[in-house]
Amino acid sequence: ESKNHVAIRRLLNEFLNHLVLESKTHTKEKEFKSHFTAWCRKLDRTRLEEIFLKKSSPANKTNKQANGSTDYYFLN
């Protein structure tokens, strides 16, 4: 897995944590992408360094939804 893939995966994980903390769900993929982009733009350098420099951890099963998927908080 490339460094870029790891970086994007870490950003997505942080964003998903943000969504959980804010109790936010998105009904459309476009809405999710727009919110993710806006959230990324608001991150300062210090926060980005924290995200990118933290050690990788094994997948946490508690982050999965009840059906076992790792859906990105879309409601269909």
Side-chain angles (χ1 to χ4, degrees):
E1 190 168 61
S2 74
K3 288 183 180 181
N4 286 337
H5 284 106
V6 171
I8 294 297
R9 186 177 308 276
R10 287 180 179 174
L11 273 175
L12 276 172
N13 284 334
E14 289 296 317
F15 180 64
L16 294 176
N17 289 335
H18 165 76
L19 293 179
V20 169
L21 289 173
E22 297 293 320
S23 299
K24 176 68 176 167
T25 56
H26 293 287
T27 57
K28 297 182 174 123
E29 183 178 351
K30 184 177 180 179
E31 183 182 276
F32 175 87
K33 288 179 179 180
S34 177
H35 187 178
F36 176 70
T37 302
W39 177 82
C40 286
R41 287 183 180 144
K42 291 180 183 178
L43 296 175
D44 64 18
R45 182 178 177 89
T46 303
R47 185 67 183 117
L48 285 170
E49 287 174 356
E50 287 174 4
I51 293 168
F52 293 133
L53 297 177
K54 73 179 181 181
K55 292 182 180 180
S56 297
S57 59
N60 185 349
K61 291 182 181 180
T62 59
N63 286 341
K64 293 185 178 184
Q65 293 180 346
N67 65 3
S69 72
T70 53
D71 191 66
Y72 292 117
Y73 294 86
F74 295 130
L75 297 176
N76 294 329

